[in-house]
Amino acid sequence: MPIDNIIYFDNASTTKVNPEVLLAYTKVCETTFANASSIHFEGQKANRLLNKSRELILSTLNLSNTHQVIFTSGATEANNIAIKGYALKYKNRGNHIITTAIEHASVLKTVRQLEKEFGFVVTYLPVDQHGEIQIEDLVNAITDKTILVSVMAINNEIGVINNIEEIAKFLKSYPKIAFHVDATQAIGKFNLNYADVDFISFSGHKIHGLKGTGALIKRKKLEVLSLNSGGGQEDGIRSGTNDVAGAVSLAKALTIANSKISQNKTKITAISFKIYDYLESNPDLYEINSTKDNPYIINFSLKTKKASVVVEGLSNKNIMVSSISACHSRKEAYSHVVESMNKGEYLSHNTVRVSLDENNTIEEAKIFINELDKLIRGIKQ
């Protein structure tokens, strides 16, 4: 049902906190508030709760025997730790990084900083008209200087799903190359196999958890250079007093989301197909940039209207959608993802993203379609 009569179709940006997750957080804040690094009884109790949360996350993702959890403030920090931490730690092995042209800003700006400030060479793999990378391009990009490959599991703007399992298996033939996956839009939505992935990043607030919670899941044997020096928390990788309540809430959010993957996908697919039916029936008005493989994210470009005007118009009708990624939508007026798909300047400047979750309904989709259609046909150029 709508929240206070608002139709919220911007779940790829952030989600509403699950009451169970919030309750878990509050309970820990009230009852287990001691510093987990303290050696007294209350500190030990907090530390046990912290480690239990790590174990729960790893077991949920079937990574208990091979990986460890580093709690972070979210996927942006996790991406920075994985990429900078590994690249700087192993720079003596090589200075070449491979990523894709459509990564999240927290990956693209991180590797660009390594290029500019630390002398790394970065290859940005192109994508085809569907937003997909080709494994052949990855194969051809590898050199004897390559030490890191970073490919997102699911794109945050167009929802394209990368075959990370295939990439991970291929990279096993290159033992000095680590594989990092930004899984922010995949965790809790798709049952992907991360067994052969070295670094996995995700945020709590994308799966009805709290903002400011997230994790980097890393293979145990790999080291990273610490970007936060201090008391040595999080295996010396991220010093600072542990947020035990945040860790507990993150584990809670993940387990709830993971337990409902199948039923949520079935419900959301029906909603997304309703919207796709409308878009496909109006090819003169819309260019569809996403695919039905991922029902959570629907992305389309307006062929004759300005996206900023349409997004504002929908907002005035209490319908919340986005034009491009919320992480840079106030600074950049175009989608670098759609531009990389060779859709042209006009379409990349006028994209609309509808992102769904299990709280949305078919009725909301009908209202959205009706209001969008009225806006498109009523707006004067």
Side-chain angles (χ1 to χ4, degrees), residues 56-318:
L56 190 55
I57 290 171
L58 291 173
S59 62
T60 300
L61 297 175
N62 299 312
L63 297 172
S64 297
N65 297 325
T66 55
H67 290 68
Q68 68 180 115
V69 172
I70 307 299
F71 288 112
T72 69
S73 61
T76 289
E77 184 184 10
N79 288 339
N80 273 262
I81 292 173
I83 296 170
K84 290 178 185 173
Y86 185 83
L88 294 173
K89 180 70 177 180
Y90 294 102
K91 189 178 180 182
N92 63 313
R93 297 183 181 179
N95 69 337
H96 182 227
I97 298 170
I98 300 173
T99 188
T100 81
I102 63 170
E103 295 296 308
H104 187 270
S106 61
V107 169
L108 291 177
K109 291 187 177 181
T110 296
V111 297
R112 286 168 185 160
Q113 184 182 28
L114 288 172
E115 276 187 295
K116 181 179 179 181
E117 305 293 342
F118 298 96
F120 281 84
V121 177
V122 181
T123 297
Y124 301 88
L125 300 178
V127 296
D128 61 18
Q129 69 271 25
H130 306 297
E132 298 176 352
I133 63 169
Q134 303 302 311
I135 192 70
E136 294 81 6
D137 290 332
L138 172 60
V139 172
N140 293 333
I142 292 176
T143 74
D144 59 356
K145 299 292 186 182
T146 307
I147 60 170
L148 179 66
V149 172
S150 180
V151 177
M152 66 198 329
I154 293 176
N155 184 266
N156 55 301
E157 289 192 35
I158 60 172
V160 64
I161 305 172
N162 287 309
N163 192 338
I164 62 167
E165 187 172 356
E166 179 186 6
I167 296 172
K169 287 182 177 178
F170 166 73
L171 290 175
K172 287 179 74 174
S173 301
Y174 297 85
K176 83 170 185 179
I177 300 177
F179 183 31
H180 167 250
V181 170
D182 178 352
T184 306
Q185 296 294 341
I187 292 283
K189 298 175 184 177
F190 291 86
N191 282 313
L192 302 184
N193 182 359
Y194 300 101
D196 293 323
V197 178
D198 297 305
F199 297 101
I200 305 118
S201 309
F202 74 101
S203 287
H205 73 102
K206 307 291 188 179
I207 51 173
H208 304 289
L210 296 168
K211 296 174 182 66
T213 65
L216 171 65
I217 303 174
K218 64 175 283 290
R219 192 173 298 282
K220 291 178 181 179
K221 67 178 182 179
L222 294 180
E223 297 181 25
V224 295
L225 185 70
S226 173
L227 305 184
N228 264 23
S229 299
Q233 291 87 348
E234 298 304 298
D235 201 29
I237 293 172
R238 187 189 187 255
S239 292
T241 303
N242 297 102
D243 179 5
V244 179
V248 170
S249 73
L250 182 66
K252 184 74 171 179
L254 176 60
T255 54
I256 293 174
N258 232 56
S259 69
K260 298 180 179 179
I261 284 177
S262 181
Q263 69 185 69
N264 286 347
K265 187 178 179 183
T266 298
K267 177 183 179 182
I268 294 165
T269 296
I271 300 171
S272 69
F273 277 23
K274 183 73 177 177
I275 297 173
Y276 273 116
D277 285 345
Y278 165 71
L279 297 174
E280 290 170 345
S281 66
N282 291 280
D284 55 322
L285 301 177
Y286 310 107
E287 170 79 13
I288 299 173
N289 303 316
S290 52
T291 72
K292 295 181 180 178
D293 294 339
N294 181 355
Y296 289 89
I297 295 177
I298 303 168
N299 186 295
F300 57 94
S301 294
L302 307 177
K303 290 186 174 181
T304 61
K305 310 295 181 182
K306 295 293 185 182
S308 58
V309 177
V310 171
V311 171
E312 182 179 359
L314 289 170
S315 179
N316 291 335
K317 294 292 184 178
N318 286 340

